[in-house]
Amino acid sequence: MPNYLLYGANGYTGRLIAREAVVSGQRPILAGRNAEAVSALASQLGLEHRVFALEDAAATRAGLEGMTAVLHCAGPFAHTAGPMVDACLEARVHYLDITGEISVFEMLAARDTEAMAAGIMLLPGAGFDVVPSDCLAAHLHRRLPEANRLALGFHGIGRFSRGTATTIVENLHAGGVIRRGGVLTHVPAAWQTRDIDFGEGPRLAVTIPWGDVSTAYHSTGIGDIEVYTATSRGQLRMMRLSRHLGWALRSSFVQGLLKRRIQAGPPGPTDEERAKGKTFLWGEVSDSAGHRAVARLRGPEGYTFTMLTALAAVTRVLAGDAPPGYQTPSLAYGPDFVLEVPGVERTDE
Ligand SMILES: NC(=O)c1ccc[n+]([C@@H]2O[C@H](COP(=O)([O-])OP(=O)(O)OC[C@H]3O[C@@H](n4cnc5c(N)ncnc54)[C@H](OP(=O)(O)O)[C@@H]3O)[C@@H](O)[C@H]2O)c1
């Protein structure tokens, strides 16, 4: 029977996925670097486990023995994706992760030829970032194939997990990123604002460096891409202030301070918060002739969304559906893949 390794299983999101995997009848092998935490979770769920650190290349390779795929949930992925992908390429094991980091998407896209040669799939971004937005982008492109501009937006993520907050803190100094003429382009933090109607009236939204500026280009070929998130006037002022604080935000003193505050907080949203939460996405494409198409999508809370999309992707892989090479969610499984997630609705304007 094909099976997969869930690495980073003891993290907030890894645990959600492990629990739901068991509910849906899967028996992944749990893994991570913390022997105590991983073995406790494995015995609680009645699953096998493996313990290894990603710094140990031989142990990582050995940790993949007998596996069809890895679902990599240990982040920030800027530190963890490289060694795991190296091991996957050597061991010929499909690689899936839940990153949202632009640099990681780009690093994986650059390894497409190696993945093709090894016959394995590299599918980063199998979570909330970027499954729903990527599928929305591909759906809009299908409606307007001549489109050369894409704007995406989302809101409703709610409370972040420690891992997400840490990833954001590590990238605070970096400002914004958009795509212009096919090229990833650095712009100041909170570069553009616009009012977006996510389905319940217009809301203020601001550009952020979200994964789709990397992935939607691969999915659609559209060269001009911006991603927005709903914001408040106060948050917008803080984001603009951060433009002048890059040096401080990068310093190990401020990084340490912010990360200690994150670690002192709760691991992520409670089950009740997740059950109540909802996410809203909006996308717009336009072409040079002035044609425009808009679509919206609504779905479960962000971490629940991540758990469900990651499991939907891994289920496809275990069934033998894993196109080799670098993939985005919509390239691998089509624009309608996200509609397989319970509670997801898409509407066209
Ligand atoms: N794309 C999305 O929509 C989405 C959704 C959810 C999460 N994420 C991302 O997924 C990552 C994890 O989030 P989380 O909420 O689960 O965070 P978390 O609760 O802080 O858990 C992080 C996990 O990663 C492991 N880890 C961190 N650095 C490691 C390293 N260098 N080597 C091995 N293991 C390492 C941790 O192991 P230890 O316990 O041993 O430290 C832990 O298991 C974050 O980067 C987050 O941004 C993305």
Side-chain angles (χ1 to χ4, degrees), residues 73-300:
C73 293
F77 291 88
H79 308 300
T80 65
M84 185 62 95
V85 173
D86 288 344
C88 283
L89 286 165
E90 276 190 52
R92 300 190 173 217
V93 169
H94 300 298
Y95 171 93
L96 298 89
D97 75 25
I98 55 165
T99 191
E101 296 158 61
I102 295 168
S103 62
V104 175
F105 286 119
E106 290 294 302
M107 181 273 283
L108 285 158
R111 304 195 75 169
D112 175 56
T113 313
E114 285 173 85
M116 290 295 271
I120 65 154
M121 178 174 79
L122 302 179
L123 178 59
F128 176 76
D129 188 354
V130 292
V131 172
S133 44
D134 186 61
C135 289
L136 197 59
H139 170 66
L140 285 163
H141 184 240
R142 177 168 66 180
R143 286 179 56 202
L144 191 64
E146 300 307 317
N148 54 10
R149 294 180 66 103
L150 167 69
L152 293 164
F154 65 89
H155 91 91
I157 293 236
R159 188 131 63 96
F160 292 137
S161 72
R162 285 180 192 144
T164 306
T166 303
T167 307
I168 291 171
V169 160
E170 289 195 359
N171 290 289
L172 273 181
H173 67 276
V177 184
I178 59 162
R179 201 180 269 276
R180 270 291 168 274
V183 178
L184 287 176
T185 306
H186 285 274
V187 291
W191 177 65
Q192 293 276 1
T193 58
R194 65 183 281 177
D195 286 334
I196 294 179
D197 181 356
F198 292 94
E200 296 175 339
R203 288 188 63 133
L204 177 65
V206 61
T207 46
I208 53 160
W210 200 246
D212 300 273
V213 297
S214 170
T215 49
Y217 179 63
H218 297 280
S219 302
T220 65
I222 296 175
D224 287 355
I225 304 171
E226 290 160 15
V227 182
Y228 292 79
T229 187
T231 190
S232 66
R233 292 270 163 214
Q235 284 167 339
L236 186 60
R237 270 195 299 279
M238 293 299 287
M239 287 170 79
R240 288 192 171 140
L241 189 67
S242 78
R243 292 176 185 174
H244 312 288
L245 299 175
W247 56 273
L249 293 171
R250 203 184 295 120
S251 74
S252 49
F253 174 73
V254 173
Q255 284 282 315
L257 197 74
L258 293 173
K259 287 181 183 174
R260 280 194 296 281
R261 282 193 64 171
I262 291 167
Q263 288 309 319
T270 62
D271 287 352
E272 292 70 34
E273 284 169 330
R274 284 193 305 105
K276 280 194 209 135
K278 277 193 175 52
T279 47
F280 301 82
L281 293 101
W282 161 96
E284 176 193 76
V285 282
S286 52
D287 67 13
S288 308
H291 301 113
R292 178 175 170 268
V294 169
R296 296 181 178 81
L297 198 139
R298 62 169 68 200

Side-chain angles (χ1 to χ4, degrees), residues 30-99:
L30 306 187
R33 63 180 173 180
N34 179 332
E36 208 180 315
V38 176
S39 70
L41 181 67
S43 65
Q44 198 188 330
L45 295 176
L47 297 172
E48 277 181 54
H49 74 279
R50 297 177 183 176
V51 177
F52 57 91
L54 299 171
E55 289 78 16
D56 184 339
T60 305
R61 230 172 16 250
L64 300 181
E65 174 117 20
M67 294 293 98
T68 298
V70 166
L71 177 53
H72 189 23
C73 293
F77 291 88
H79 308 300
T80 65
M84 185 62 95
V85 173
D86 288 344
C88 283
L89 286 165
E90 276 190 52
R92 300 190 173 217
V93 169
H94 300 298
Y95 171 93
L96 298 89
D97 75 25
I98 55 165
T99 191

